[in-house]
Amino acid sequence: MSAADPKFQTFDLPPEITGPSAWYGPDMIQDQSWCQHFTAADVAEIEAATQAVLTDPGVNLAALTADDFPLPQLAPRLRQVRKEVLDGRGFALLRGLPVERWSRRQAAIAFLGLGSHFGRARPQNARGHVLGHVIDMGLSSDDPNVRIYQTHERQTFHTDSSDIVGLLCLQTAKAGGHSALVSSVTIFNEMRRRRPNLLALLFEPIETDRRGEVPPGEKPYFTIPTYSWHAGLLSAIYQRQYIESARRFSDVPPLTAAQREAYDLFDALANDESLNFQMTLKRGDVQLVHNHTLLHDRTAFEDWREPERRRHLLRLWLAPEDARPLPPAFAQRYGSVTPGGRGGVTVEGMQLTVPYDPV
């Protein structure tokens, strides 16, 4: 099929994108300036702010703000990191929180406090949890109401439903469970060079399964293009398994042969080691990822038998007030496109909560 075929070339594609967001994995392996270490002074400041929140009954943990968690010395560095995540390469790793000496509650508050310097925490499920637990719950993604982070399976490359996703590693797996990143901007560039006819299909709306977490008045799936070009910016939203599982609904048509070819190429590029790279999260690591310009993945893992040693990460979905503009279609999934108040899962009667343990 020719790239000039009018059936596929439905509009003028955006131009090839240059700049720090269009990176290749091997280059990131060589240049690890994205990894920073907390100093002893940083940790002392974080612990002091955590203790202040622990002893203040008036603080609303589910709506914790940077004012509630002052970090006078560290905050300027965090602002630089946030700018790099939102406007630069799209990710960062902050290493060295002493989670081994903290209680679960201390770790949760410290993470919520750090996250408040990047954006407002958004609910991650229908129960209103603004603090998520990424742990194997003994479930399977074969269940259409299970989300893959609740299993030990590979997640495959995808985006989360927020501007920024943050992870804090509490415990590592016995084997596997590595984090992988790839630039959705680079995938766009590569598809534009190789198969622009297929790339054009990814700018058309596609149904994606909500996996049982349906806002009032909405369908059990949302319909947003994988790629959107808005206000001169390229933004992506993607989860292949959920695109496939949305076909279970009677009003959702099967993928066409051309759509399947386009998504297969997209996946092949995401999985290409010349584009992506892996990092291993250690205990006390905080990873921050910009969902609009990156896809992230987690490899399958083997866990420890002892419950206290099981792989366990805390997760935040964050909405910065200085986030990029998003097209109106994103409101289907984000609830709103207003920076600082968008993203997450919202259902009728939800109350925001901070669970310290997986539930």
Side-chain angles (χ1 to χ4, degrees), residues 85-99:
V85 170
L86 293 176
D87 302 322
R89 65 172 65 91
F91 69 96
L93 186 70
L94 306 177
R95 177 156 277 171
L97 291 182
V99 295

Side-chain angles (χ1 to χ4, degrees), residues 200-243:
L201 298 179
L202 302 188
F203 284 84
E204 297 179 357
I206 189 73
E207 302 87 356
T208 301
D209 196 347
R210 294 184 189 273
R211 306 292 280 190
E213 295 179 328
V214 186
E218 296 288 348
K219 293 183 177 182
Y221 55 86
F222 57 85
T223 308
I224 304 174
T226 296
Y227 279 124
S228 295
W229 180 251
H230 179 73
L233 295 167
L234 181 76
S235 298
I237 184 169
Y238 186 68
Q239 173 61 280
R240 177 68 181 268
Q241 293 100 318
Y242 298 172
I243 290 174

Side-chain angles (χ1 to χ4, degrees), residues 17-34:
I17 297 168
T18 59
S21 65
W23 50 260
Y24 288 80
D27 295 332
M28 295 298 100
I29 294 172
Q30 294 299 318
D31 171 19
Q32 297 206 2
S33 58
W34 43 266

